[in-house]
Amino acid sequence: MSDLDGVKSVLITEAELSAAISGMGKILTEDYRGKKLLLVSVLKGAFIFMADLIREIQLPCEVDFLCVSSYKDGVASSGRVDFIKDITRDLSGYDVLIVEDILDTGLTLSEVVRHLSGKGARSVRICTLLDKPSGRRAEVFADYILFTVPDEFVIGYGLDCAELYRNLPYIGIYDKE
Ligand code: IMP
Ligand code: MG
């Protein structure tokens, strides 16, 4: 696959991603100072964002992962969320920050928030790299949003189309042709 195969256009460049993530790291460093921060990333799409974001947070923090699946394949929502890997620890005393790649229908995050809130955390907030408000089907509000994207299927920087394109260093619009 050549680099731009399947990419209609570049939506967010590497430089824009890195500047926004560095800015978000500073905000989170202030907001979570003195708290027991646990970042929980929703695999697989958020793995690159998580890796870059934690290095911009100048505080002691812990990391854990959840794996859910809502898109079995391709570009359409299956409408249900499966927990493939769960967090087994007790979350008492932790301020949990869910780190997500994209908030689209909101079906995934509403389930994840409900699920984690039942584990005794002091707080559960959401930090999403991308927000696609036009796709919303469940009522979910992200506390931290880095970019708002149009009603297009986006790929790259962790986000896939049928498991491909996660390694693109930028966010592109998928070319459906
Ligand atoms: P939800 O629709 O808000 O439940 O999003 C569930 C998951 O679908 C996200 O975490 C992404 O992994 C994936 N997803 C949603 N929209 C897109 C997109 O435009 N490109 C790639 N993946 C997407
Ligand atoms: Mg995905």
PDB file of all heavy atoms in Angstrom, residues 43-45 68 70-71 101-102 153 158-161 163 166, ligand 2:
ATOM      1  N   LEU A  43      -8.827   0.524  23.488  1.00  0.00           N
ATOM      2  CA  LEU A  43      -8.109  -0.068  22.355  1.00  0.00           C
ATOM      3  C   LEU A  43      -9.083  -0.381  21.221  1.00  0.00           C
ATOM      4  O   LEU A  43     -10.259  -0.537  21.459  1.00  0.00           O
ATOM      5  CB  LEU A  43      -7.422  -1.366  22.797  1.00  0.00           C
ATOM      6  CG  LEU A  43      -6.278  -1.183  23.806  1.00  0.00           C
ATOM      7  CD1 LEU A  43      -5.849  -2.546  24.337  1.00  0.00           C
ATOM      8  CD2 LEU A  43      -5.108  -0.475  23.162  1.00  0.00           C
ATOM      9  N   LYS A  44      -8.635  -0.532  20.025  1.00  0.00           N
ATOM     10  CA  LYS A  44      -7.249  -0.325  19.708  1.00  0.00           C
ATOM     11  C   LYS A  44      -6.977   1.095  19.227  1.00  0.00           C
ATOM     12  O   LYS A  44      -5.834   1.541  19.231  1.00  0.00           O
ATOM     13  CB  LYS A  44      -6.846  -1.304  18.584  1.00  0.00           C
ATOM     14  CG  LYS A  44      -6.837  -2.764  19.019  1.00  0.00           C
ATOM     15  CD  LYS A  44      -6.421  -3.694  17.866  1.00  0.00           C
ATOM     16  CE  LYS A  44      -7.646  -4.195  17.150  1.00  0.00           C
ATOM     17  NZ  LYS A  44      -7.426  -5.240  16.167  1.00  0.00           N
ATOM     18  N   GLY A  45      -8.002   1.772  18.759  1.00  0.00           N
ATOM     19  CA  GLY A  45      -7.842   3.036  18.040  1.00  0.00           C
ATOM     20  C   GLY A  45      -7.061   4.126  18.768  1.00  0.00           C
ATOM     21  O   GLY A  45      -6.435   4.967  18.138  1.00  0.00           O
ATOM     22  N   VAL A  68     -12.732  -2.743  23.541  1.00  0.00           N
ATOM     23  CA  VAL A  68     -14.126  -2.924  23.158  1.00  0.00           C
ATOM     24  C   VAL A  68     -14.188  -2.988  21.644  1.00  0.00           C
ATOM     25  O   VAL A  68     -13.288  -2.515  20.960  1.00  0.00           O
ATOM     26  CB  VAL A  68     -15.027  -1.771  23.661  1.00  0.00           C
ATOM     27  CG1 VAL A  68     -14.914  -1.595  25.159  1.00  0.00           C
ATOM     28  CG2 VAL A  68     -14.716  -0.472  22.944  1.00  0.00           C
ATOM     29  N   SER A  70     -16.946  -2.167  18.534  1.00  0.00           N
ATOM     30  CA  SER A  70     -18.286  -1.767  18.106  1.00  0.00           C
ATOM     31  C   SER A  70     -18.361  -1.783  16.587  1.00  0.00           C
ATOM     32  O   SER A  70     -19.435  -1.873  16.021  1.00  0.00           O
ATOM     33  CB  SER A  70     -18.645  -0.388  18.638  1.00  0.00           C
ATOM     34  OG  SER A  70     -17.622   0.522  18.345  1.00  0.00           O
ATOM     35  N   TYR A  71     -17.191  -1.709  15.949  1.00  0.00           N
ATOM     36  CA  TYR A  71     -17.167  -1.773  14.492  1.00  0.00           C
ATOM     37  C   TYR A  71     -16.506  -3.090  14.128  1.00  0.00           C
ATOM     38  O   TYR A  71     -15.307  -3.237  14.297  1.00  0.00           O
ATOM     39  CB  TYR A  71     -16.315  -0.639  13.920  1.00  0.00           C
ATOM     40  CG  TYR A  71     -17.003   0.689  13.876  1.00  0.00           C
ATOM     41  CD1 TYR A  71     -17.455   1.299  15.035  1.00  0.00           C
ATOM     42  CD2 TYR A  71     -17.200   1.334  12.660  1.00  0.00           C
ATOM     43  CE1 TYR A  71     -18.085   2.524  15.007  1.00  0.00           C
ATOM     44  CE2 TYR A  71     -17.825   2.559  12.619  1.00  0.00           C
ATOM     45  CZ  TYR A  71     -18.271   3.139  13.794  1.00  0.00           C
ATOM     46  OH  TYR A  71     -18.892   4.350  13.750  1.00  0.00           O
ATOM     47  N   ASP A 101     -10.079   7.650  20.842  1.00  0.00           N
ATOM     48  CA  ASP A 101      -9.666   8.175  19.536  1.00  0.00           C
ATOM     49  C   ASP A 101     -10.724   9.090  18.937  1.00  0.00           C
ATOM     50  O   ASP A 101     -10.431  10.195  18.508  1.00  0.00           O
ATOM     51  CB  ASP A 101      -9.293   7.027  18.571  1.00  0.00           C
ATOM     52  CG  ASP A 101     -10.405   5.993  18.378  1.00  0.00           C
ATOM     53  OD1 ASP A 101     -11.420   6.039  19.107  1.00  0.00           O
ATOM     54  OD2 ASP A 101     -10.261   5.127  17.489  1.00  0.00           O
ATOM     55  N   ILE A 102     -11.975   8.606  18.905  1.00  0.00           N
ATOM     56  CA  ILE A 102     -13.028   9.411  18.288  1.00  0.00           C
ATOM     57  C   ILE A 102     -14.367   9.150  18.967  1.00  0.00           C
ATOM     58  O   ILE A 102     -14.692   8.013  19.297  1.00  0.00           O
ATOM     59  CB  ILE A 102     -13.110   9.143  16.753  1.00  0.00           C
ATOM     60  CG1 ILE A 102     -14.148  10.053  16.068  1.00  0.00           C
ATOM     61  CG2 ILE A 102     -13.393   7.682  16.436  1.00  0.00           C
ATOM     62  CD1 ILE A 102     -14.040  10.076  14.545  1.00  0.00           C
ATOM     63  N   PHE A 153     -15.589   9.616   7.131  1.00  0.00           N
ATOM     64  CA  PHE A 153     -14.878   8.530   7.806  1.00  0.00           C
ATOM     65  C   PHE A 153     -13.395   8.858   7.795  1.00  0.00           C
ATOM     66  O   PHE A 153     -12.810   9.059   6.736  1.00  0.00           O
ATOM     67  CB  PHE A 153     -15.155   7.176   7.141  1.00  0.00           C
ATOM     68  CG  PHE A 153     -14.770   6.032   8.026  1.00  0.00           C
ATOM     69  CD1 PHE A 153     -15.617   5.604   9.045  1.00  0.00           C
ATOM     70  CD2 PHE A 153     -13.544   5.401   7.875  1.00  0.00           C
ATOM     71  CE1 PHE A 153     -15.247   4.569   9.902  1.00  0.00           C
ATOM     72  CE2 PHE A 153     -13.174   4.359   8.722  1.00  0.00           C
ATOM     73  CZ  PHE A 153     -14.026   3.943   9.727  1.00  0.00           C
ATOM     74  N   GLY A 158      -3.766   5.820  14.455  1.00  0.00           N
ATOM     75  CA  GLY A 158      -4.460   4.849  15.309  1.00  0.00           C
ATOM     76  C   GLY A 158      -5.819   4.422  14.790  1.00  0.00           C
ATOM     77  O   GLY A 158      -6.286   3.329  15.083  1.00  0.00           O
ATOM     78  N   LEU A 159      -6.473   5.310  14.041  1.00  0.00           N
ATOM     79  CA  LEU A 159      -7.817   4.975  13.547  1.00  0.00           C
ATOM     80  C   LEU A 159      -7.726   4.128  12.284  1.00  0.00           C
ATOM     81  O   LEU A 159      -6.914   4.399  11.398  1.00  0.00           O
ATOM     82  CB  LEU A 159      -8.621   6.247  13.250  1.00  0.00           C
ATOM     83  CG  LEU A 159      -9.052   7.012  14.491  1.00  0.00           C
ATOM     84  CD1 LEU A 159      -8.268   8.285  14.609  1.00  0.00           C
ATOM     85  CD2 LEU A 159     -10.537   7.284  14.459  1.00  0.00           C
ATOM     86  N   ASP A 160      -8.599   3.126  12.232  1.00  0.00           N
ATOM     87  CA  ASP A 160      -8.526   2.169  11.134  1.00  0.00           C
ATOM     88  C   ASP A 160      -9.743   2.211  10.226  1.00  0.00           C
ATOM     89  O   ASP A 160     -10.798   2.726  10.588  1.00  0.00           O
ATOM     90  CB  ASP A 160      -8.426   0.753  11.702  1.00  0.00           C
ATOM     91  CG  ASP A 160      -9.747   0.302  12.327  1.00  0.00           C
ATOM     92  OD1 ASP A 160     -10.247   1.008  13.215  1.00  0.00           O
ATOM     93  OD2 ASP A 160     -10.279  -0.742  11.906  1.00  0.00           O
ATOM     94  N   CYS A 161      -9.556   1.576   9.069  1.00  0.00           N
ATOM     95  CA  CYS A 161     -10.683   1.139   8.262  1.00  0.00           C
ATOM     96  C   CYS A 161     -10.407  -0.340   8.014  1.00  0.00           C
ATOM     97  O   CYS A 161      -9.394  -0.666   7.387  1.00  0.00           O
ATOM     98  CB  CYS A 161     -10.767   1.900   6.949  1.00  0.00           C
ATOM     99  SG  CYS A 161     -12.156   1.328   5.966  1.00  0.00           S
ATOM    100  N   GLU A 163      -9.125  -2.411   9.975  1.00  0.00           N
ATOM    101  CA  GLU A 163      -7.818  -2.704  10.591  1.00  0.00           C
ATOM    102  C   GLU A 163      -6.604  -2.107   9.866  1.00  0.00           C
ATOM    103  O   GLU A 163      -5.484  -2.213  10.364  1.00  0.00           O
ATOM    104  CB  GLU A 163      -7.595  -4.210  10.826  1.00  0.00           C
ATOM    105  CG  GLU A 163      -8.585  -4.829  11.820  1.00  0.00           C
ATOM    106  CD  GLU A 163      -8.513  -4.198  13.217  1.00  0.00           C
ATOM    107  OE1 GLU A 163      -7.437  -3.734  13.627  1.00  0.00           O
ATOM    108  OE2 GLU A 163      -9.556  -4.154  13.892  1.00  0.00           O
ATOM    109  N   ARG A 166      -3.849   2.373  10.440  1.00  0.00           N
ATOM    110  CA  ARG A 166      -3.559   2.886  11.783  1.00  0.00           C
ATOM    111  C   ARG A 166      -2.185   3.542  11.847  1.00  0.00           C
ATOM    112  O   ARG A 166      -1.924   4.388  12.688  1.00  0.00           O
ATOM    113  CB  ARG A 166      -3.586   1.745  12.812  1.00  0.00           C
ATOM    114  CG  ARG A 166      -4.956   1.109  13.000  1.00  0.00           C
ATOM    115  CD  ARG A 166      -4.941   0.207  14.234  1.00  0.00           C
ATOM    116  NE  ARG A 166      -6.047  -0.738  14.265  1.00  0.00           N
ATOM    117  CZ  ARG A 166      -7.254  -0.470  14.754  1.00  0.00           C
ATOM    118  NH1 ARG A 166      -7.531   0.730  15.224  1.00  0.00           N
ATOM    119  NH2 ARG A 166      -8.194  -1.386  14.764  1.00  0.00           N
TER     120      ARG A 166
HETATM  121 MG    MG B   2     -11.871   1.308  15.305  1.00  0.00          MG
END
